Amino acid sequence: MSSSNDQGEGSSSRTASASADHHHNPQQQQPAQLSRYESQKRRDWNTFGQYLRNQRPPVALSQCSYNHVEPAGPCTCPLRQAWGSLDALIGRLRAAYEENGGQPETNPFASGAIRVYLREVRDSQAKARGIPYKKKKKKKSTINEGTSSSFQM
């Protein structure tokens, strides 16, 4: 891994103290391999950092807003990313932003505009499939649950 990746992930102290890891200390012991979620989150975060650096002029993370997360215009590509995948990506980036020093109140991935955008993508994809999206409702427990033992067909 390059040192720029370590800095972007806030793990530069891990590499500096690598020689101290041979002592058995359960609090500082890192798992040998990251989970699939953590690996994907790291890749997504590095990709987003590269995206910000490629902007003209480059955008500092402290200057990043929801405008850097949303596309500039409507996507006309017939192979748009599925809403569930997009939602999961935003969730990973929201977590990574705060893990890398971003403040929750300035998190561009937690913006109301992003939630609106995701809702619009979900609705348009459901409409294109001809199936309206309905949120699963929690099962309500009935008050008379134990008193009625007969069922009608």
Side-chain angles (χ1 to χ4, degrees), residues 31-108:
Q33 192 154 8
L34 295 174
S35 69
R36 182 177 176 200
Y37 170 80
E38 291 295 330
S39 297
Q40 187 63 52
K41 184 170 60 172
R42 178 178 287 182
R43 278 193 303 272
D44 294 339
W45 183 248
N46 290 338
T47 301
F48 186 72
Q50 185 66 44
Y51 164 78
L52 292 177
R53 287 187 295 276
N54 288 341
Q55 297 300 300
R56 295 291 170 241
V59 177
L61 186 59
S62 61
Q63 297 170 332
C64 180
S65 72
Y66 73 88
N67 290 320
H68 297 102
V69 180
E70 279 193 81
C75 178
T76 59
C77 174
L79 300 175
R80 285 172 53 170
Q81 189 160 11
W83 168 79
S85 300
L86 202 54
D87 187 47
L89 171 64
I90 294 295
R92 289 190 301 269
L93 289 169
R94 183 173 49 241
Y97 179 86
E98 294 176 18
E99 288 172 8
N100 287 283
Q103 296 300 312
E105 53 275 0
T106 61
N107 191 332

